[in-house]
Amino acid sequence: MPWLLKRSRPLSKQGKLDPFDRANENPPKQPWRPWGDSTPAEILDNKLIIRDSGSFWSLGPRGGWGSEYYPLTANWGIEWSMNMNPVGVLTPRVFSLFLGKNWINGGDPTAVKYQVLFRWEHYTTTNNDDETEHHYAVSLWLDDKDSAIDQPRKVSYDMGNSANLMAPHTWRIKCVNDNTFILWMDGIVRWVYTIPAGLEGGGFLRGPGLRAQAMRATFCEAEIEDWFVYDYVAPPPVWSSDVFYDNFNRANGAPANGWTTVGSDVVINSNSLGLAGGLLSDGNRGAWRSGAPLSTGNMRLSVTLGGAHGLSSSQDSSVVGRINSAGTLGICLNIFSNKIYIAKFTGSLSSPTFTDLGMDELTLNNGDVLNYVITGDEAWVEYAGEILLYVDGINAHSPESNRGYGVRFKRAAFVNSVAFNDFRVQVKV
C-alpha cells in the first residue's frame, strides 16, 4: 500500500496517513469502506466527506465509514482535521467516532456490547422551567449496548456554541495502555480520561481487534482532512527501583538527609516533611536535593499525602521536578484537597511565580499516594491506577537537562499546606 508511511515524529512509528490528495472518488475506494447500513460518502476536493446517515435512532439507517488500517499496539494515536456542516433542522447533530471492530473482520462497531465512542454533538435538554437548553460538546462515551444508552458514563469538553462546534478544528487522540485517552483540540489538551480496569469486567478496555475507527454523521456532514492513525515507538516509561526514598521517620527538626531548605520552618514534624507548628509567617518555603541531581530529567516523584498537616482547599503544597542547578526554575505539581495543577515555577521555592499548564478537579484524602511523572516533553499525574492530569510541551518550560527535585509548602490565613509522609524518586530506564 503506497501510503504506509513512517512518521517523522520521534514518538511514533509506522502508521497510515491519508491526505485524500487524489482524484475524486464516489464512493471512496479501499482502504475506505462502509459498515452497517448504507451511508453515502465521497472523496472530493482533498477531503473525505461523510454524508448524513439519516437517523440517530435504530429505526432508520445506522451505518458509516471506516478505514481498514488499525493500530497494532496498546499505545496509539489518531490525528485529523474536520468541520461539520448541518443538514436539515433536527437535532442532535452528531459526529460519532467508534473505537472497536474493523470492517475487514466483519465488524459493525454498533454491534459490540461494550462501546467506546467519541461524539461531537449539538443536543438539547429541558430545564426545570420547561425551557429548551442547547449544548455543544465533544464527549467520550462508554455504553453497554445491553443497557439504556441515555445514562452513559462520559467525560465532556464544552465547545460553547454551534459555530465553534461546527468550525474547522484539528483533533488528536492518544491512547495509552489501551485504556487512557487524551484529547487535543487545535494543539491544546482538553481532557484526559482513564477507563477503570474493572468497569463492566474490563469490557470497555480496547485491545487487539478493538482499536479500529468507524465514523458516522447524523443530521450533519463531516468533512475530514489528513486522516492519520499510528502506533507509538515508545510505550509508557519503565521506571527504576528507588534512587532515593525518605520516610521522614526521625526526630523533629531540620530535614537533613541531603535536603536543602529554602526559606524558614521546613522541618521534620511528626514523621513527615512539612511546616513547623506554631504561629508561622505567611508565605512559601521549600526544600530540595540541591547536591544530588538525577542522571536524567525523566523522573517519577511519588508522595504520600498527610502527616503533621492535612490537606487544605485553600493552601497548596508542591512536588517539584526538573529543577535547574540554581533552584530558580522547575515544573510543579500543586496539590489542594479538591484539585491539582501542573505549573512552571520561576523565582525560587520561597518566592515562586507560577504559570499554570493544566488543572484537574478531584477529591483527595490524607494517606493518598500521588505519582508525578515528567518524561520527554510530557508530564502527568497517576492516582489509584489512573492518569488524572496530562500536559505536553514541557521541554519548552524546563528541559531534560534540569534534573533536580524537591518540595514546596505554603502558609496563609492561619492554614498550613499538606505535609508529605514520604517521598520516593525513580528514573526512566
Side-chain angles (χ1 to χ4, degrees):
M1 296 180 184
W3 41 280
L4 181 58
L5 303 176
K6 285 195 173 181
R7 185 69 159 172
S8 60
R9 298 183 180 185
L11 291 180
S12 62
K13 64 178 179 183
Q14 67 180 20
K16 194 162 284 188
L17 167 67
D18 194 345
F20 309 112
D21 56 348
R22 52 191 179 275
N24 296 343
E25 297 176 359
N26 188 1
K29 298 177 182 179
Q30 198 166 337
W32 298 94
R33 182 169 166 175
W35 56 267
D37 295 332
S38 176
T39 298
E42 62 182 310
I43 294 176
L44 180 66
D45 298 331
N46 304 119
K47 298 178 182 179
L48 171 65
I49 302 175
I50 300 178
R51 305 294 184 186
D52 177 24
S53 69
S55 175
F56 186 74
W57 310 110
S58 58
L59 298 178
R62 290 179 63 82
W65 284 77
S67 168
E68 69 177 287
Y69 179 77
Y70 55 91
L72 301 177
T73 71
N75 304 287
W76 46 276
I78 316 167
E79 299 180 22
W80 74 101
S81 298
M82 179 178 70
N83 66 282
M84 299 163 59
N85 300 313
V87 173
V89 296
L90 297 177
T91 55
R93 304 190 193 281
V94 182
F95 173 75
S96 300
L97 173 64
F98 295 87
L99 302 176
K101 296 176 67 176
N102 192 288
W103 60 259
I104 64 173
N105 297 321
D108 179 344
T110 62
V112 177
K113 178 179 180 180
Y114 297 109
Q115 298 180 4
V116 177
L117 65 145
F118 286 76
R119 284 170 47 168
W120 287 253
E121 59 184 327
H122 167 206
Y123 63 97
T124 60
T125 58
T126 303
N127 62 23
N128 293 333
D129 297 322
D130 290 329
E131 297 172 334
T132 298
E133 296 182 338
H134 291 262
H135 307 273
Y136 311 90
V138 54
S139 306
L140 172 64
W141 292 60
L142 303 175
D143 288 340
D144 180 346
K145 185 174 179 291
D146 295 340
S147 302
I149 65 170
D150 59 347
Q151 296 293 328
R153 303 173 181 90
K154 65 177 181 178
V155 57
S156 296
Y157 172 65
D158 184 3
M159 300 286 287
N161 55 61
S162 178
N164 193 32
L165 175 68
M166 310 297 275
H169 295 288
T170 58
W171 298 96
R172 179 185 175 200
I173 296 170
K174 178 179 179 180
C175 184
V176 181
N177 282 336
D178 274 331
N179 70 337
T180 295
F181 292 92
I182 304 165
L183 175 74
W184 284 258
M185 184 185 82
D186 298 330
I188 299 174
V189 175
R190 302 301 176 171
W191 49 252
V192 56
Y193 177 74
T194 299
I195 300 174
L199 189 62
E200 302 292 333
F204 287 108
L205 305 184
R206 302 298 83 185
L210 291 174
R211 301 184 186 115
Q213 307 89 47
M215 295 167 281
R216 180 175 66 206
T218 304
F219 301 134
C220 66
E221 295 179 341
E223 296 186 356
I224 297 170
E225 300 180 77
D226 296 323
W227 182 262
F228 183 60
V229 181
Y230 50 93
D231 292 280
Y232 280 82
V233 167
V238 175
W239 300 106
S240 69
S241 57
D242 296 347
V243 298
F244 175 74
Y245 177 73
D246 196 337
N247 61 15
F248 309 119
N249 290 339
R250 50 189 180 271
N252 289 354
N257 198 24
W259 293 97
T260 298
T261 58
V262 182
S264 60
D265 302 315
V266 177
V267 298
I268 302 294
N269 187 353
S270 300
N271 296 325
S272 61
L273 181 65
L275 295 177
L279 187 62
L280 307 180
S281 60
D282 286 353
N284 296 278
R285 54 272 278 172
W288 65 307
R289 301 257 302 165
S290 59
L294 299 174
S295 60
T296 172
N298 301 315
M299 59 188 71
R300 186 174 190 252
L301 311 175
S302 304
V303 292
T304 301
L305 305 178
H309 305 293
L311 283 154
S312 167
S313 61
S314 59
Q315 310 305 331
D316 62 326
S317 294
S318 298
V319 181
V320 192
R322 286 213 180 160
I323 301 177
N324 65 2
S325 59
T328 58
L329 171 68
I331 306 295
C332 294
L333 167 62
N334 295 336
I335 306 165
F336 294 88
S337 62
N338 57 353
K339 56 191 172 184
I340 54 177
Y341 288 85
I342 292 177
K344 172 184 178 180
F345 97 84
T346 54
S348 71
L349 293 174
S350 61
S351 182
T353 297
F354 292 115
T355 302
D356 290 340
L357 305 177
M359 185 272 287
D360 188 39
E361 296 181 352
L362 74 163
T363 299
L364 292 170
N365 299 290
N366 296 319
D368 285 348
V369 177
L370 293 179
N371 302 314
Y372 177 39
V373 174
I374 308 174
T375 180
D377 204 27
E378 305 168 295
W380 66 81
V381 180
E382 300 167 348
Y383 171 66
E386 301 181 12
I387 295 177
L388 292 183
L389 174 60
Y390 172 97
V391 297
D392 60 356
I394 295 300
N395 288 335
H397 300 290
S398 186
E400 189 274 337
S401 56
N402 291 337
R403 299 175 177 180
Y405 55 92
V407 296
R408 177 197 64 94
F409 303 101
K410 184 179 180 182
R411 177 181 174 87
F414 304 102
V415 176
N416 292 327
S417 64
V418 66
F420 296 139
N421 257 315
D422 66 3
F423 190 97
R424 185 183 308 276
V425 182
Q426 298 167 310
V427 295
K428 183 178 177 180
V429 297

